[in-house]
């Protein structure tokens, strides 16, 4: 099983709409500073895309055998529309998601048209179900994350000979999730914010700040990387003090395009 990072930013990406900060301004001038919303491509005899952001056309060329959706938020679901008749016109592409999100897609336009036109084939999966691939499997589990639509949020255990736990969005590092991370070889985790004071309305969008998480997460036995970085996060700059602190703690930030060979 081969896992490739296809996006490392929070749902809005970098540059962020409406933001004039130096990082966003630079990304508007310099394509190498652009960061797409968090996504993975998993190759294990079949290829699955994990999460479908609005930047999906820059993140994959096409040619996936299915899509796994962790949840319904902006950086994770809307790109599914690119598989519809206006663009790829896919033929019953398997889409794995919670039963509630499957129902949401089936009953809400414009997503419902993808089902009616048979561009996608919904495959509801729940906690501790398994998505079997020729050379590995994906086991979803539930995590707590703001749930305005009642559609739930999944974390994923990607299992080859080694295991990678993927949790791009979570409200807090609860004991159950920490135990899963501890048992994995690699973890790619919600690193939206470095600290608690990055945006004025941070309480409305709860994510565990990375600085505090360093004391909470099992960094000794698991290779921990952070993803889903907000445009305000100093971890986007490899010369920042935050980046050095993270490295000193024995963790890191995923690189766009980084590859994990799970065997
Ligand atoms: Zn997100
Ligand atoms: Zn910005
Ligand atoms: Zn979210």
């Amino acid at each position: 099983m081969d896992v490739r990072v296809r996006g490392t930013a929070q749902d809005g990406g970098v540059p962020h709409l409406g933001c004039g900060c130096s990082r966003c301004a630079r990304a508007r001038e310099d394509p190498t500073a652009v960061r797409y919303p968090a996504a993975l491509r998993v190759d294990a005899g079949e290829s699955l895309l994990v999460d479908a952001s609005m930047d999906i056309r820059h993140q994959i060329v096409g040619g996936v055998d299915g899509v796994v959706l962790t949840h319904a938020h902006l950086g994770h679901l809307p790109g599914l529309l690119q598989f519809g008749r206006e663009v790829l016109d896919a033929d019953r592409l398997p889409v794995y998601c919670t039963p509630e999100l499957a129902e949401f897609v089936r009953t809400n336009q414009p997503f419902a048209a993808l089902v009616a036109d048979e561009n996608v084939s919904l495959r509801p999966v729940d906690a501790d179900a398994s998505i079997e691939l020729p050379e590995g499997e994906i086991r979803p589990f539930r995590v707590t994350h703001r749930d305005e639509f009642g559609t739930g949020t999944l974390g994923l255990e990607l299992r080859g000979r080694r295991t990678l736990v993927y949790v791009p969005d979570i409200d807090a590092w609860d004991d159950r999730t920490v135990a899963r991370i501890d048992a994995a070889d690699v973890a790619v985790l919600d690193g939206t914010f470095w600290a608690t004071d990055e945006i004025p309305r941070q309480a409305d969008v709860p994510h565990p700040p990375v600085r505090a998480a360093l004391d909470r997460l099992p960094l000794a036995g698991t290779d921990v990387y952070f993803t889903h970085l907000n445009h305000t996060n100093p971890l986007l700059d490899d010369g920042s003090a935050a980046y050095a602190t993270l490295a000193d703690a024995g963790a890191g930030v995923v690189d766009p395009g980084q590859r994990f060979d799970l065997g």
Side-chain angles (χ1 to χ4, degrees), residues 29-105:
E29 303 295 323
D30 174 3
T32 66
V34 169
R35 294 291 177 267
Y36 300 124
L40 300 177
R41 181 187 171 112
V42 180
D43 290 291
E46 291 176 14
S47 299
L48 297 184
L49 175 69
V50 177
D51 283 333
S53 90
M54 297 200 301
D55 287 332
I56 186 173
R57 67 202 168 108
H58 299 291
Q59 294 173 286
I60 55 168
V61 181
V64 290
D65 301 306
V67 177
V68 184
L69 302 173
T70 59
H71 65 300
H73 286 160
L74 179 72
H76 307 268
L77 167 65
L80 200 63
L81 294 170
Q82 295 270 17
F83 292 98
R85 61 167 63 176
E86 294 91 341
V87 187
L88 205 64
D89 196 24
D91 180 18
R92 285 168 286 187
L93 183 79
V95 173
Y96 303 91
C97 60
T98 65
E100 307 97 288
L101 181 50
E103 181 66 10
F104 180 90
V105 166

Side-chain angles (χ1 to χ4, degrees), residues 19 21 24 231:
C19 184
C21 79
C24 289
H231 66 114

Side-chain angles (χ1 to χ4, degrees), residues 11 70-76 145-146 148 153 168-170 207 228:
D11 299 35
T70 59
H71 65 300
H73 286 160
L74 179 72
H76 307 268
H145 178 49
R146 63 187 174 83
E148 303 88 341
T153 296
D169 287 72
I170 194 168
H207 290 275
H228 200 271

